[in-house]
Amino acid sequence: MTRKLVSYSILILILWETGCNTVIIRPWTPPYKSRSVHDVRVLLGKTEGDLQIRGEGIISVYDANDLLIKKGIDIISLNVSRLKAPIRFVSEQSGNGLEYKSLKVRGSIQLVPQNQGPALVVNVLPLEEYLYAVVPSEVPYTWPHEALKAQAICARTYAVREILNKKNALYDVEANTNSQVYGGLEKEHPSTTKAVQDTTGVLAVYEESPIQAFFHSNSGGKTETPENVWGGKRIPYLPTVASEFDRAGDNFYWKESVSDDLIRSKFSHLKLGEIQSIQVLSRTGSGRVDLMELSGSEGSSRIRGKEFRQVLGTPVRSLRFGIQKEGNGYLVKGMGSGHGVGLSQWGSFGMAKENFNYVEILKHYYPGTDLARITR
């Protein structure tokens, strides 16, 4: 009876702490024992010639067999072109970190030569410590705690999926928007660190696998499906969902004026002569531009909305836009920012402001998914 009472009390404690929808009913075990998901390899850059690694105090350099080959105080310089095998830089003072090109990081830095091309500079550190810098690099640390926790789980899920997919590669993620923005030690903040710690090891999973945890700045009121952005098959947990709380974001509505000269220069490869009109021909189910037609003095051409946005660049913040001729150019008016797939960060912010918890936020943007904790 006592044992049953204790078990029941623990269950109640879990429910009380995280909400009735947040019970993690099972652990999650990585499928590959040969590759730990508890550490992540972050590509900081590529280098040729002279390299400097800075720190505070003693920096040690180890070879591929973990044999000490060099020591220095505060800074170590070397010529990368002479390197024949990987080496590893470690700060002997715990917590001081290492610095590469003004980016200060936790963990160690590996220098990995390649047969051809520059050497890779790779930061290796614990997954949770990596997230300390990622979450505040992706969203403001001043945001509501539930939104920060939702972002922490998205970032962790993304990283673990990349680790599993890159098990035979030289690194898992990059430090920029090609993966997730990683600002290093100086970007960390106690509020975002707490959000990571409060969700330690928690992933969003679908049928036992970490989900493709896409996220973006602002959906403009409705998210997009990935097949409409990148092609491929439909993903069950990434449908179009309403995101009314996006209105909390300052990029919910936007407009830009684009000159005829800019249009002409950006789309000169289409060889249309003087471009006279731009029309939207079709939209996806979420209201985003699918197909467009550009007409000029020497012909017309149909292109996909995503190609138009990619070519034109910054003025088109999302594909949820309209365009019309205005004076010596075009007026582009739109909603939202980013590709629109998965979690809307400003939508998450708005939901948290209205007292939705992180589980409700994640379930809204990734319906049909569950939460699970990585086992040791």
Side-chain angles (χ1 to χ4, degrees):
M1 176 68 82
T2 302
R3 182 176 298 175
K4 288 183 179 179
L5 181 60
V6 170
S7 299
Y8 180 74
S9 299
I10 292 172
L11 177 60
I12 291 298
L13 179 62
I14 293 172
L15 293 173
W16 179 80
E17 286 181 340
T18 59
C20 61
N21 292 323
T22 70
V23 178
I24 299 171
I25 59 173
R26 65 182 185 282
W28 181 81
T29 303
Y32 309 119
K33 292 183 179 180
S34 60
R35 175 71 171 98
S36 170
V37 299
H38 296 289
D39 295 297
V40 62
R41 303 167 298 174
V42 187
L43 178 66
L44 303 182
K46 299 179 181 181
T47 186
E48 295 178 294
D50 293 330
L51 170 76
Q52 288 188 341
I53 299 294
R54 297 177 179 272
E56 296 178 11
I58 298 174
I59 303 172
S60 298
V61 185
Y62 296 88
D63 67 11
N65 297 313
D66 274 341
L67 297 175
L68 179 65
I69 57 175
K70 188 174 182 179
K71 276 192 176 184
I73 297 177
D74 296 341
I75 184 171
I76 287 185
S77 302
L78 56 83
N79 189 321
V80 175
S81 63
R82 298 177 181 177
L83 195 64
K84 303 300 180 185
I87 59 174
R88 180 169 58 95
F89 300 84
V90 178
S91 173
E92 298 298 342
Q93 279 66 45
S94 177
N96 282 349
L98 295 169
E99 187 176 320
Y100 168 71
K101 288 188 175 180
S102 76
L103 181 66
K104 194 172 183 180
V105 298
R106 294 173 178 266
S108 64
I109 290 179
Q110 288 186 349
L111 193 58
V112 185
Q114 301 185 93
N115 293 331
Q116 295 182 339
L120 306 180
V121 183
V122 180
N123 180 203
V124 182
L125 74 164
L127 173 63
E128 299 299 316
E129 294 181 12
Y130 161 73
L131 297 175
Y132 293 166
V134 168
V135 176
S137 298
E138 286 287 353
V139 294
Y141 64 79
T142 55
W143 277 18
H145 194 57
E146 295 302 305
L148 296 180
K149 288 195 288 185
Q151 185 66 45
I153 292 172
C154 287
R156 184 182 295 108
T157 304
Y158 176 88
V160 169
R161 189 179 176 92
E162 289 297 288
I163 290 169
L164 296 176
N165 289 339
K166 305 282 182 62
K167 64 187 179 75
N168 296 320
L170 296 175
Y171 60 89
D172 305 310
V173 295
E174 298 182 44
N176 53 34
T177 53
N178 289 339
S179 298
Q180 302 182 110
V181 181
Y182 172 61
L185 261 168
E186 294 181 350
K187 193 67 177 180
E188 294 180 17
H189 189 275
S191 62
T192 44
T193 294
K194 187 176 188 304
V196 174
Q197 293 172 341
D198 286 350
T199 61
T200 298
V202 178
L203 304 172
V205 298
Y206 183 81
E207 294 182 348
E208 303 301 327
S209 295
I211 69 169
Q212 297 184 56
F214 295 116
F215 54 85
H216 58 281
S217 178
N218 191 316
S219 79
K222 188 173 285 188
T223 67
E224 182 58 281
T225 59
E227 66 268 24
N228 284 336
V229 179
W230 303 294
K233 296 181 179 179
R234 176 181 172 273
I235 300 175
Y237 54 82
L238 288 172
T240 293
V241 300
S243 186
E244 60 183 287
F245 294 105
D246 283 328
R247 293 178 181 274
D250 54 10
N251 53 6
F252 183 72
Y253 289 115
W254 53 267
K255 62 181 179 179
E256 295 282 350
S257 294
V258 183
S259 68
D260 283 332
D261 289 342
L262 181 63
I263 292 290
R264 186 184 308 111
S265 65
K266 290 288 188 178
F267 295 96
S268 60
H269 63 284
L270 296 179
K271 302 186 185 305
L272 302 178
E274 291 294 321
I275 295 178
Q276 300 164 337
S277 70
I278 301 175
Q279 292 183 301
V280 174
L281 299 181
S282 64
R283 295 180 180 273
T284 68
S286 72
R288 287 169 171 80
V289 175
D290 179 33
L291 188 63
M292 305 181 69
E293 184 173 66
L294 281 67
S295 299
S297 58
E298 298 178 16
S300 63
S301 179
R302 292 186 174 187
I303 65 172
R304 292 293 176 189
K306 57 186 177 183
E307 180 185 346
F308 181 82
R309 181 183 177 220
Q310 183 179 19
V311 172
L312 198 54
T314 304
V316 184
R317 302 179 198 176
S318 81
L319 286 177
R320 202 163 186 197
F321 73 90
I323 186 168
Q324 65 184 46
K325 194 78 175 75
E326 183 180 76
N328 295 321
Y330 293 84
L331 177 64
V332 185
K333 297 176 70 175
M335 302 170 69
S337 179
H339 53 64
V341 179
L343 179 136
S344 166
Q345 291 169 322
W346 275 107
S348 174
F349 169 90
M351 290 182 72
K353 279 287 191 181
E354 294 296 322
N355 297 318
F356 289 92
N357 64 38
Y358 73 97
V359 178
E360 292 169 316
I361 293 169
L362 293 171
K363 292 280 189 180
H364 177 73
Y365 289 107
Y366 309 113
T369 62
D370 296 309
L371 298 181
R373 192 182 299 273
I374 305 170
T375 60
R376 280 283 180 182

